[in-house]
Amino acid sequence: QVQLVESGGDSVQSGGSLRLSCAASGYTYSKGCMGWFRQAPGKEREGVAAICSDGRTKYPDSVKGRFTVSQDNAKNTLYLQMNSLKPEDTAMYYCAARYGPALYLTSVMYTYWGQGTQVTVSS
């Protein structure tokens, strides 16, 4: 059974940084891809970063250059380094996982989900 547990969410000032972590159990990194998604109240869930086992990454323009996704296979942990945070980055952040080589930022393509961690950025 795959379990994903996010941590690292916090309240920060605009321009600040945070690193989110996602601890995975029961998931085989070498066979798939993982992603970070966020959802603000009243908005659809959007992908902010994705990474596959071969190191390919993908970001939307809204976070490119500010967010960096990485994974530590030895620790079974996915990370999201977020710099230059803006108030519009405020949301619940979720990590997700899927099996297969395709790299997606679309939430419906992911099978396994964590419970989320809240990020709040104040101006």
Side-chain angles (χ1 to χ4, degrees), residues 18-101:
L18 280 175
R19 188 175 81 156
L20 306 183
S21 300
C22 173
S25 60
Y27 176 71
T28 305
Y29 277 90
S30 62
K31 296 184 178 180
C33 305
M34 297 187 74
W36 285 98
F37 294 80
R38 67 186 180 189
Q39 189 166 21
K43 294 189 176 181
E44 292 188 356
R45 189 169 295 191
E46 63 168 335
V48 295
I51 186 168
C52 290
S53 57
D54 61 0
R56 288 173 292 138
T57 58
K58 191 171 186 177
Y59 305 91
D61 289 344
S62 58
V63 308
K64 201 171 290 183
R66 300 189 299 123
F67 290 12
T68 303
V69 62
S70 61
Q71 57 190 29
D72 185 333
N73 292 347
K75 295 182 178 180
N76 292 339
T77 303
L78 179 74
Y79 301 100
L80 182 67
Q81 178 67 44
M82 304 186 294
N83 299 326
S84 302
L85 282 163
K86 305 175 182 180
E88 51 263 43
D89 295 318
T90 295
M92 185 71 79
Y93 283 71
Y94 301 88
C95 74
R98 64 181 303 275
Y99 286 118

